[in-house]
Structures are given as structure tokens and as C-alpha cells.
Amino acid sequence: MRRSLREEFATRVVVADGAMGTMLQAADPTMDDFLGLEGCNEILNVTRPDIVRSVHDAYFAVGVDCVETNTFGTNLSALAEYGVEERIYELAEAGARIARESADAFTAADGRPRWVLGSMGPGTKLPTLGHIAYDRLRAAYQENAEGLIRGGADALLVETTQDLLQTKAAVIGARRALDWCGMGDLPLIVQVTVEATGTMLL
């Protein structure tokens, strides 16, 4: 099925899900659910997988082909703001596993393939501006990608990058993880954010 996603991309429009954060907020998780880390949606992958699963299920129920993992903030700079940067792999793997279980359940019910996109968000620190060391960022992206792959992602999605050096760190980190896991055939998708002026932020 992982190979077929690349084939689907080449032959038709593949529909993915929508917002994750607002759907999680609608479930009204408690401060205990967040382990006191209010706003760290990724911690719900281990404390309230049922809430995260319900979001994926809701999107599959209305007909999407793919869902993104609840891992947009599972990166070095975002998790460091909560003091839990050592949990990158754990939270990434858990997020991918939840989405994989949802996708497989819907496929088993009607035979139509569903896929999981491993979300790799940009974080809050830009290496070009010296906010964070490039090597450290790249290594953390590799850890993130490895968790997503091991959890069952069908593709990796580097999201909304605004600094090309940050993009490079994410892409190389993801490629190293794909090679390390022996999954070099998985698609790697990259999005960049372009300002209204037609240029990137930097």
C-alpha cells in the first residue's frame, strides 16, 4: 500500500484532511490531559489517543484519502518550549501509530485504501537567523522522521517552512531517516510558505 500512494499521486488528486488543532480543542481536553503543558497538542498522542483517533476517524468518515499525524509540533524548538524535547521520537511514533490504526480500520471496512502523512512542522526557530544550530536541527528532524516511519506513516510531509536552511535540515534529516529505516521509497513532500510579496519570510 505504501508504494501505491506514490502511484496515486501520479494519476489523480489525492484528498487530505483539514485542521487538527481546532478539532482537538473542540474535544475540550483537560489540563491533566496536557500533563500541565497547555497547548502542547502532541502530548495528547500518549495521554488521550482516543481524542486524536476521533479526529482522524471524523476525516476518514467524510471521505478523505489521507490524514496527517498529530505531530506538527513534534520538533526540537516547539517541544523545547515545553521542556520535553527529549520526547520527539516517542510523540512522533505515537502520533503515526494512532493515524495508522484509523486508516487501517477504515480500509478494512470497505476495501478503499487510506494513507497516513507524517506531519513535520517548521518549529519556531530559524537557523538562517542564528536561532538554532543547523546540525542540531537536522538531527532532531531525523529523530522526528524515524518516529513517524516506525509508527506507520506512508509519506513524510515537511510543512510550511519559511527558511530554506530550515527546509534543508528537514529534508536531509528525513532522507537520513528513510535510509536508516530502509524505507527510501516513501514519498517526501515539502511545503514552503510564501508571503504576499511573492518571497519567503527571509
Side-chain angles (χ1 to χ4, degrees), residues 1-11 14 66-67 100 114-120 145-146 148-149 152-159 170-171 173-179 182-191:
M1 186 177 296
R2 294 186 179 208
R3 291 181 185 274
S4 68
L5 178 56
R6 187 182 294 275
E7 295 169 359
E8 293 291 312
F9 284 153
T11 59
V14 176
C66 308
V67 295
R100 175 84 270 145
R114 270 75 164 200
W115 295 281
V116 173
L117 305 178
S119 173
M120 300 173 66
E146 286 179 11
L148 293 169
I149 296 164
D154 296 298
L156 298 178
L157 175 60
V158 177
E159 293 204 64
V171 169
R175 287 285 185 204
R176 289 183 176 183
L178 289 166
D179 289 344
M183 301 296 289
D185 61 328
L186 261 64
L188 173 57
I189 306 161
V190 182
Q191 300 171 342

Side-chain angles (χ1 to χ4, degrees), residues 131-182:
H131 295 161
I132 192 168
Y134 170 81
D135 290 352
R136 189 174 176 219
L137 187 63
R138 183 191 60 209
Y141 271 120
Q142 180 175 346
E143 190 176 1
N144 183 1
E146 286 179 11
L148 293 169
I149 296 164
R150 299 295 188 194
D154 296 298
L156 298 178
L157 175 60
V158 177
E159 293 204 64
T160 59
T161 60
Q162 52 207 303
D163 173 353
L164 285 178
L165 192 57
Q166 169 199 55
T167 311
K168 178 180 178 180
V171 169
I172 292 179
R175 287 285 185 204
R176 289 183 176 183
L178 289 166
D179 289 344
W180 178 258
C181 297

Side-chain angles (χ1 to χ4, degrees), residues 59-75:
Y59 279 118
F60 279 132
V62 296
V64 303
D65 300 302
C66 308
V67 295
E68 296 180 37
T69 55
N70 178 39
T71 55
F72 185 83
T74 308
N75 54 65

Side-chain angles (χ1 to χ4, degrees), residues 17-40:
D17 58 1
M20 170 63 72
T22 51
M23 294 282 279
L24 292 174
Q25 291 169 19
D28 199 24
T30 68
M31 189 62 76
D32 286 342
D33 294 333
F34 283 114
L35 299 181
L37 307 174
E38 186 174 12
C40 184

